[in-house]
């Protein structure tokens, strides 16, 4: 793994991301709420041509598609509860297995 400085945002904040080489790069960015992760992700996605993955978007898509993990997530979401880690991990694993993530790489 190779830490690289993320592109600087318009407000001057910066972050570090971990990037793994290969045909499809794998990038994970983390930070506190309102630290500029979304801004950084948009710039990184554009710069490297990665698929930007959002757990919220993935959950909504899994529920809409009626997948097994989507059904599990829906039961928690409908009850106003937090979706457990094991369900989130299942949603992420399903999405990472898709061809676009394998070929282009991904940003999470």
């Amino acid at each position: 793994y190779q830490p690289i400085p993320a592109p600087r945002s318009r407000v001057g904040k910066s972050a570090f991301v971990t990037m793994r080489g290969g045909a499809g790069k794998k990038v994970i960015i983390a930070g506190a709420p309102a630290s500029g992760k979304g801004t950084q992700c948009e710039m990184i996605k554009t710069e490297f041509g990665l698929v930007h993955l959002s757990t919220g978007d993935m959950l909504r898509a899994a529920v809409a598609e009626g997948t097994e993990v989507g059904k599990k997530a829906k039961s928690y979401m409908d009850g106003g509860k937090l979706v457990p880690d094991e369900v989130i991990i299942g949603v992420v694993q399903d999405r990472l297995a898709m061809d676009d993530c394998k070929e282009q790489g991904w940003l999470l």
Side-chain angles (χ1 to χ4, degrees):
Y1 293 96
Q2 168 189 355
I4 61 166
R8 292 186 77 57
S9 71
R10 288 174 281 180
V11 293
K13 296 177 186 174
S14 64
F16 281 89
V17 298
T18 298
M19 184 169 280
R20 186 169 157 187
K25 293 190 182 312
K26 296 151 183 72
V27 179
I28 297 174
I29 187 167
S35 63
K37 295 181 301 292
T39 301
Q40 294 293 333
C41 285
E42 285 304 312
M43 290 188 285
I44 293 167
K45 178 180 96 171
T46 301
E47 178 74 20
F48 296 101
L50 304 173
V51 177
H52 181 202
L53 305 175
S54 158
T55 53
D57 291 345
M58 287 186 283
L59 275 174
R60 287 184 287 278
V63 169
E65 294 167 9
T67 66
E68 184 67 31
V69 289
K71 291 174 187 173
K72 289 178 186 174
K74 184 173 177 12
S75 67
Y76 290 99
M77 294 162 70
D78 287 350
K81 298 177 184 174
L82 291 175
V83 179
D85 289 346
E86 53 272 3
V87 176
I88 298 289
I89 291 167
V91 170
V92 173
Q93 286 176 326
D94 287 352
R95 183 64 181 95
L96 293 177
M98 293 182 178
D99 288 340
D100 61 342
C101 288
K102 290 178 183 178
E103 294 165 7
Q104 293 173 240
W106 48 264
L107 168 61
L108 178 64

